[in-house]
């Protein structure tokens, strides 16, 4: 056992910090919480691409930098601490690339990996449907084999950034035999978002922000070669993909600026002549947050260590995501409570502290414990996959 | 970063685990909770023969110069076995203090005997209220011409009733001072206390004009609390590892039970609410392992770890307690019986949570370390 970073890892962290410092000084990029999904800056992504930091942990033979997942966590950790705008390449780097590397044909890899690495296109995930949220196997979007292409019909929903994406990574039903075991009925495919027949409609979230969408597919033609991996094996592949989606430090640091604001607030705000940081109750709460943060952080590094050792985590990513997103929700809730009334001020409001980021983050935190597998669904996975508890 | 144990550590872990599986039945633990020695002299001897007592000590004092991680591994297994013995008191509370701060003579007089299992030693520190606070200690010492005279009462002294000697944390006019006292000294009166974990684990030790020769001091006059504070992170790391072993074991046999117990025509383990209890237990135990071992690793590397050790102790001990409470909930009536093993663990879990500072105590250390 050894819990220190290697020399290379320490200097890599410094390199990332220097990169961020320089990018911030340029004053052209937006740094904010949830920036990794909400702020799309192709320019910033290209800047990272030049460093080969997109595909950092992909194998070299696929154009990646061939570094480990621990390295990737180090990089993302530094980026998220300052809310770097990673949205343009984030999903493709995290999920699409590894998905193609694992399951994709040579054709798909050659066609799609280089533009992802070069930050030339952006992606969305087309999994959820009105009738298939937690129960993804209830997916109804149909793909009918028409000889040289598939004809796709159906509706997807909650698709982050679908309105600005070049491609969608979709789960569709390809086996229509009612006798087929339901988990063997789906395939993964890549859909060009500019295809005729696609309509993307905005959905406004509780912040009044348009970040996710509903996507209608009417007789959309998808080339046969766009099927990823084996026909009818999509459900299993998606479960593997999701393990990448769930395993990162992005589930711990989505609202990192809240912690910075909190620490500043308690040290600089006085009540009856004494800083809040001297209040025993507040100290206890802050220390509890610190404990959970450190526990979660160590666990995220552990999961990346598993990936680096060639193990495929499953219940571990569910443990990590459950734990870390619960922490994030608690962080911002507790911060709001400690700040009191000023915590309610939204960004843009007169008198707002910390650009209103705390109130903003509070609203954003609501779905942290829902998206990419609700905490309850993750606990089912832990119990059934991890602890082998009975199914019925 | 390397989150797995090395090969020699795995071998050690397996051997300790097998030892407990073979030698320590849960009935034996019930007996150790009920009888008035609170430990098994026979097993104590075997543990010494296996070399466990020598792990943290230098070879020049008869030890085996093992690593702190080795000790951490033993504590994880102690937790898994819910084992009761004066190992913690002797090897850690007293032994490590002596090793780090004792005079050459005192070390050579005591440590080899700890290593070969012939001596049990402990630490007498707390006052009646049990605060881990240097202003609330149980013992006072007056500095005399030839040494010291101790008066007062030390509470919650582990295994004092079977200890050959104890290190006493005393308040003197020159500050807190550690003194080695022979348990047979005149003026010492020891009464076992009945606690959650049994009838003979902690004691109250009354001191009436107990005379201690000057050369029985550990380190320097007035520096005692410094030494104790340096010991705290080590204690926290080891207790955290003990919690990790305990949690895993509780989850293991709870799952066994849930898979067998049929209600509503199916095993309890098929009920989603029950599954979620178990997932929560698993999350607690999974996320405890690395903070505990990280703290132990920091100690073994001689790195600063006050904050990390408190993080581990606060998290792991509360997690262990929570895990046992959840286990009680899902095991229903059987879990409340004396016959079922769960209470051996839940009593220890609550004890460890309070031992060397509860969660709030450690959170206050963490807040200080964060410079709040
Ligand atoms: C901000 C945001 C961004 C998203 N981005 C995308 C995206 O880009 N692409 C995409 O495809 N999807 C996306 N999603 C969808 C997301 O994955 C789903 O919301 C999620 O899977 C839950 O599905 P649902 O919303 O239909 O909730 P439901 O399935 O209706 O579940 C609601 C609640 O019911 C409970 N529940 C459900 N099933 C179980 C069960 N088996 N056991 C116990 N309790 C259960 C849980 O508490 C759950 O939270 C996004 C969602 C959000 C909120």
């Amino acid at each position: 056992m050894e819990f220190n970073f290697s020399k290379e890892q320490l200097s890599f962290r410094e390199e990332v910090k220097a990169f961020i410092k320089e990018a911030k000084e340029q004053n052209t990029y937006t740094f904010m919480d949830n920036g990794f999904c909400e702020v799309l800056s192709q320019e910033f992504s290209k800047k990272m691409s030049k460093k080969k930091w997109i595909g950092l942990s992909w194998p070299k033979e696929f154009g990646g930098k061939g570094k480990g997942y621990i390295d990737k966590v180090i990089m993302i950790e530094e980026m998220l601490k300052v809310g770097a705008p990673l949205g343009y390449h984030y999903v493709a780097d995290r999920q699409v690339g590894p998905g193609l590397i694992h399951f994709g044909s040579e054709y798909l890899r050659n066609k799609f990996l280089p533009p992802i690495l070069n930050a030339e296109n952006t992606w969305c995930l087309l999994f959820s449907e009105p009738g298939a949220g937690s129960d993804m196997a209830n997916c109804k979007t149909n793909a009918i084999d028409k000889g040289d292409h598939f004809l796709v019909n159906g509706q997807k929903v909650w698709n982050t950034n679908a309105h600005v994406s070049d491609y969608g990574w979709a789960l569709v039903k390809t086996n229509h035999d009612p006798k087929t075991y339901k988990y063997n009925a789906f395939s993964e495919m890549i859909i060009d978002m500019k295809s005729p027949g696609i309509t993307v409609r905005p959905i406004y979230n509780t912040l009044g922000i348009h970040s996710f969408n509903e996507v209608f597919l009417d007789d959309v033609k998808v080339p046969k070669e766009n099927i990823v991996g084996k026909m009818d094996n999509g459900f299993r592949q998606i479960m593997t993909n999701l393990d990448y989606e769930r395993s990162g430090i992005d589930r711990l640091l989505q609202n990192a600026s809240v912690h910075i604001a909190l620490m500043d607030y308690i040290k600089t705000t006085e009540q009856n002549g004494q800083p809040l940081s001297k209040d025993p109750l507040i100290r206890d709460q802050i220390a509890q947050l610190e404990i959970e943060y450190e526990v979660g952080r160590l666990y995220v590094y552990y999961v990346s260590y598993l990936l680096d050792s060639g193990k495929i985590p499953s219940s571990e990513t569910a443990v990590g995501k459950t734990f870390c997103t619960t922490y994030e929700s608690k962080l911002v809730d507790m911060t709001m409570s400690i700040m009191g009334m000023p915590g309610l001020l939204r960004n843009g409001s007169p008198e707002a502290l910390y650009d209103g980021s705390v109130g903003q983050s509070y609203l954003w935190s609501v779905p942290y414990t829902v998206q990419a597998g609700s905490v309850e669904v993750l606990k089912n996975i832990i119990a059934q996959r991890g602890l082998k508890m009975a199914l019925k | 970063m390397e989150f797995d144990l090395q090969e020699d550590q795995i071998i050690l872990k397996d051997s300790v685990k097998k030892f407990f599986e073979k030698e320590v039945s849960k009935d034996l633990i019930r007996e150790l909770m009920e009888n008035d020695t609170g430990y098994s002299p026979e097993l104590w001897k075997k543990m010494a023969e296996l070399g466990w007592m020598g792990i943290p000590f230098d070879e020049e004092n008869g030890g085996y110069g093992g690593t702190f991680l080795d000790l951490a591994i033993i504590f994880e297994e102690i937790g898994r076995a819910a084992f009761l013995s004066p190992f913690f008191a002797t090897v850690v509370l007293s032994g490590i203090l002596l090793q780090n701060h004792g005079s050459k003579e005192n070390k050579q007089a005591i440590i080899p005997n700890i290593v070969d299992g012939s001596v049990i030693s402990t630490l007498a520190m707390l006052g009646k209220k049990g605060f881990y606070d240097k202003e609330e200690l149980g013992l006072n010492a007056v500095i005399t011409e030839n040494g010291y005279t101790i008066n007062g009462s030390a509470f919650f002294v582990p295994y004092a009733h079977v200890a050959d000697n104890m290190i006493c944390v005393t308040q003197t006019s020159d500050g807190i001072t550690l003194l080695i006292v022979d348990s047979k000294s005149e003026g010492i009166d020891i009464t076992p206390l009945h606690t959650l974990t049994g009838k003979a684990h902690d004691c109250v030790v009354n001191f009436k004009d107990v005379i201690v020769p000057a050369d029985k001091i550990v380190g320097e006059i007035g520096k005692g609390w410094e030494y104790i504070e340096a010991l705290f992170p080590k204690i926290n790391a080891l207790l955290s590892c003990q919690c990790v072993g305990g949690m895993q074991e509780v989850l293991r046999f709870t799952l066994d039970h849930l898979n067998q117990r049929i209600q509503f025509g199916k095993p309890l383990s098929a009920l989603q609410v029950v599954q979620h209890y178990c997932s929560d237990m698993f999350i607690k135990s999974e996320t405890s392992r690395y903070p505990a071992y990280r703290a132990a690793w920091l100690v073994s590397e001689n790195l600063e770890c006050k904050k990390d050790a408190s993080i581990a102790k606060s998290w792991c001990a509360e997690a262990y307690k929570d895990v046992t409470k959840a286990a009680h909930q899902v095991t229903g009536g059987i879990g409340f019986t004396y016959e079922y093993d769960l209470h051996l663990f839940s009593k220890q879990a609550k004890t460890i949570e309070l031992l060397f500072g509860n969660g709030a105590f450690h959170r206050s250390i963490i807040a200080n370390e964060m410079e709040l």
Side-chain angles (χ1 to χ4, degrees), chain B residues 334-352:
Chain B
I334 188 90
F336 191 55
T337 62
Y338 198 75
E339 177 201 353
Y340 194 68
D341 294 339
L342 180 55
H343 72 105
L344 310 178
F345 293 84
S346 54
K347 287 169 180 170
Q348 288 189 21
K350 190 67 200 174
T351 303
I352 297 177

Side-chain angles (χ1 to χ4, degrees), chain B residues 56-191:
Chain B
F57 304 117
D58 296 341
E59 278 158 34
E60 63 186 84
N61 294 314
Y64 305 126
T67 70
F68 197 77
L69 273 175
D70 294 339
L71 205 53
I73 287 167
I74 292 189
F75 271 84
E76 180 179 343
E77 294 312 317
I78 287 176
R80 192 186 318 279
F83 186 55
L84 295 167
S85 80
F87 187 75
F88 176 61
T90 302
V91 173
V92 180
L93 296 185
S94 169
I96 292 183
L97 261 187
L98 263 179
Q99 157 98 358
N100 291 343
H101 310 287
S103 68
K104 205 170 162 196
E105 294 72 32
N106 284 329
K107 281 200 242 190
Q108 286 184 347
I110 298 175
I111 293 179
N113 299 327
I114 289 181
V115 175
D116 72 15
S118 57
V119 150
I120 290 174
S121 186
T122 187
L123 183 72
M125 174 163 84
L126 299 180
K128 189 168 186 164
K129 288 175 276 183
F131 292 130
Y132 290 90
D133 181 335
K134 67 178 191 302
E135 306 303 330
E136 301 274 0
L137 302 178
L139 303 176
N140 294 300
V142 176
I143 304 171
T144 64
E145 248 169 70
N146 311 321
Y148 307 86
T149 306
I150 307 182
N151 275 290
S153 299
F155 282 75
F156 309 104
V157 183
Y159 288 97
H161 61 303
V162 290
D164 300 280
N165 57 50
M166 53 189 100
I167 297 180
C168 296
V169 186
T170 64
Q171 192 68 258
T172 73
S173 55
D174 285 348
I176 291 167
T177 303
L178 307 187
L179 302 171
I180 307 164
V181 177
D182 191 317
S183 307
K184 306 273 168 337
S185 308
E186 203 170 315
I188 288 188
D189 169 61
I190 301 173
T191 314

Side-chain angles (χ1 to χ4, degrees), chain A residues 124-130 132-135 156-161 211-212 364 367 369-377 380, chain B residues 272 276:
Chain A
C124 63
L125 303 175
L126 303 172
F127 299 161
S128 306
E129 296 185 7
S134 305
D135 182 12
K156 296 290 176 180
V157 72
W158 316 127
N159 314 104
T160 303
N161 293 333
S211 75
F212 53 25
W364 266 120
T369 46
V370 172
Q371 67 212 62
S374 193
V375 157
E376 290 72 25
V377 170
N380 296 343
Chain B
Q272 191 180 50
H276 284 201

